[in-house]
Amino acid sequence: QLNFMVDLEFLMSNYKAGRADGKPLLVMYGQMEGDTKDFSSVTCVKVNLPFIYGTHHTKMMIFEYRDGLRVVVHTANLVPDDWYEKTQGFWVSPIFPLLENGKSGLLDGESPTRFKRDLVEYLLSYKAPDLVRWTHIIMKYDFSSCNVVFVGSTPGYHTGEDKDRWGHMKVRRAIRQHATSWKSSLPIIAQCSSIGTCCISK
């Protein structure tokens, strides 16, 4: 679970309802309520934010099942008010199967939209050992059925080659790359939690 605000009691009540509260769980968070000592199967890691501006605002779940892996990107913090009192959105991937013959590579089972590489690159940008382990897990799976683009956003200053890797610049690059293969009628759905400041240049 990668999220900004986490109510650990609320999160684990849902895992308990699904009879999954005893399974290992990694929670990467910005702010948290609750005592991790109450849940022995949970590892909670506060995201390191090296810059005064920008924050960890990701809301994503990665589930490894017996028969595959699933990614969920959503808009809700893991707190009761966000789930019970507000309108939210989410994208749920298909279940990605294991690669055949024990393969485990970044380019093996890649989607036409390079979703797998972009997801791994995003997780590595955290420079967190726990997420590095998850990138190795992800590389074992076949993402070739994925037909969406993953757009991550990380705090910091991005120049040179990094400029087009994140945020709205990545959206622009993706549209240019896939313009010929995407139908003109295909909608582009963009969501942001807030716009704090905005600079417009002519």
Side-chain angles (χ1 to χ4, degrees):
Q1 295 280 352
L2 292 90
N3 215 294
F4 177 50
M5 295 174 62
V6 178
D7 182 326
L8 196 54
E9 295 283 347
F10 166 73
L11 174 62
M12 294 312 297
S13 69
N14 285 278
Y15 271 78
K16 186 175 182 179
R19 299 180 181 177
D21 53 316
K23 297 186 181 298
L25 171 63
L26 171 65
V27 180
M28 303 289 295
Y29 68 93
Q31 298 176 6
M32 177 178 287
E33 291 183 14
D35 191 344
T36 58
K37 295 177 182 178
D38 295 336
F39 306 100
S40 59
S41 61
V42 181
T43 300
C44 296
V45 179
K46 184 172 176 59
V47 173
N48 178 36
L49 299 173
F51 298 97
I52 189 172
Y53 298 108
T55 188
H56 161 69
H57 225 275
T58 297
K59 296 166 180 63
M60 178 168 57
M61 308 175 186
I62 305 174
F63 299 108
E64 187 179 28
Y65 305 118
R66 291 178 181 174
D67 59 348
L69 183 117
R70 169 169 277 158
V71 179
V72 179
V73 179
H74 58 105
T75 61
N77 287 293
L78 294 174
V79 298
D81 283 355
D82 272 22
W83 289 86
Y84 299 145
E85 305 294 337
K86 298 175 183 178
T87 300
Q88 303 288 354
F90 58 91
W91 172 81
V92 180
S93 79
I95 294 179
F96 303 121
L98 278 167
L99 289 164
E100 295 181 356
N101 303 319
K103 289 184 178 179
S104 178
L106 195 57
L107 300 180
D108 296 318
E110 176 60 293
S111 73
T113 61
R114 63 170 287 158
F115 186 99
K116 184 177 183 179
R117 281 175 286 175
D118 287 344
L119 175 60
V120 166
E121 186 176 71
Y122 176 70
L123 295 179
L124 289 174
S125 75
Y126 280 82
K127 297 179 174 59
D130 293 289
L131 287 181
V132 171
R133 184 177 65 84
W134 268 98
T135 65
H136 294 303
I137 292 172
I138 288 167
M139 285 192 281
K140 297 187 301 182
Y141 289 91
D142 183 352
F143 282 69
S144 60
S145 63
C146 190
N147 64 352
V148 302
V149 175
F150 181 85
V151 178
S153 181
T154 61
Y157 302 95
H158 309 298
T159 60
E161 292 182 1
D162 288 338
K163 185 177 67 174
D164 293 335
R165 287 184 179 176
W166 314 112
H168 67 282
M169 297 297 284
K170 172 63 182 293
V171 173
R172 185 176 73 171
R173 188 182 78 179
I175 292 171
R176 288 176 175 173
Q177 286 178 334
H178 301 287
T180 55
S181 59
W182 289 346
K183 295 178 180 178
S184 58
S185 60
L186 188 69
I188 297 173
I189 302 171
Q191 183 275 338
C192 64
S193 58
S194 63
I195 301 176
T197 59
C198 182
C199 296
I200 301 174
S201 59
K202 296 181 180 180

